Amino acid sequence: MVSDGPIAQTRHHQRSCYAACVTPRTAGCVVSVLLLAMGLDVWSAPVRVRARSEMEVHVVRSDEGLALRGRLTDDTGAAIGAGPVHARIEGLEAQVVRTGSDGAFELTISGADVAALADLHGEELTWALSFAGGPNFGPSEATGGMELRRSPTR
């Protein structure tokens, strides 16, 4: 039997579209086309797109103590409300604060605690704030230091 391309003659010497010469390379394509035609898209996985999150944080000093104030937003600048922000401040227990509907959050350290922390840990403390992300937003983190003994200027 002689092949003249992808169509070969059958034993009965008749040309048939069913007697296609299928190689391993074309077999995958044929199976894919058949599955797609049957509505069985088994190779596709659902794709979830998450926005990036961004955290802006400032250390604010007042006569009452220190505060870490910030805002959690997505990559378009829209607020991420009710987001849990995990705070780790050297010398203090870890805490979780939630953002408001405007994405704002605040963690306050009283003046008495600031003085006690300065006596125990020195002039500066490190802090780290993190948002773990979720189904719609990716994670973000902010770190820094705060000067404890500096007096507020007016």
Side-chain angles (χ1 to χ4, degrees):
M1 180 181 327
V2 176
S3 173
D4 60 340
I7 305 296
Q9 293 183 0
T10 64
R11 288 183 186 198
H12 299 82
H13 302 289
Q14 297 174 350
R15 290 197 178 263
S16 169
C17 63
Y18 298 110
C21 183
V22 178
T23 66
R25 187 167 158 194
T26 59
C29 293
V30 170
V31 170
S32 296
V33 169
L34 289 174
L35 288 174
L36 287 173
M38 294 177 358
L40 301 174
D41 194 5
V42 296
W43 285 299
S44 69
V47 176
R48 168 159 268 175
V49 178
R50 297 187 320 168
R52 287 189 313 266
S53 65
E54 298 173 3
M55 190 181 310
E56 180 183 327
V57 183
H58 302 282
V59 177
V60 180
R61 181 180 298 278
S62 69
D63 291 332
E64 290 80 35
L66 289 173
L68 288 172
R69 289 185 188 151
R71 188 161 186 260
L72 185 62
T73 59
D74 67 14
D75 50 0
T76 67
I80 299 175
V85 176
H86 297 262
R88 293 180 314 280
I89 301 172
E90 182 182 359
L92 296 176
E93 288 186 28
Q95 298 181 39
V96 177
V97 294
R98 289 219 173 251
T99 61
S101 60
D102 61 350
F105 62 89
E106 181 173 326
L107 179 68
T108 304
I109 306 170
S110 70
D113 287 341
V114 169
L117 288 168
D119 288 341
L120 289 172
H121 298 283
E123 301 276 330
E124 185 171 309
L125 290 183
T126 58
W127 55 266
L129 302 176
S130 62
F131 171 65
N136 299 320
F137 304 102
S140 63
E141 185 175 87
T143 59
M146 59 176 82
E147 296 177 19
L148 299 177
R149 297 197 190 270
R150 197 176 103 202
S151 299
T153 58
R154 295 179 191 237

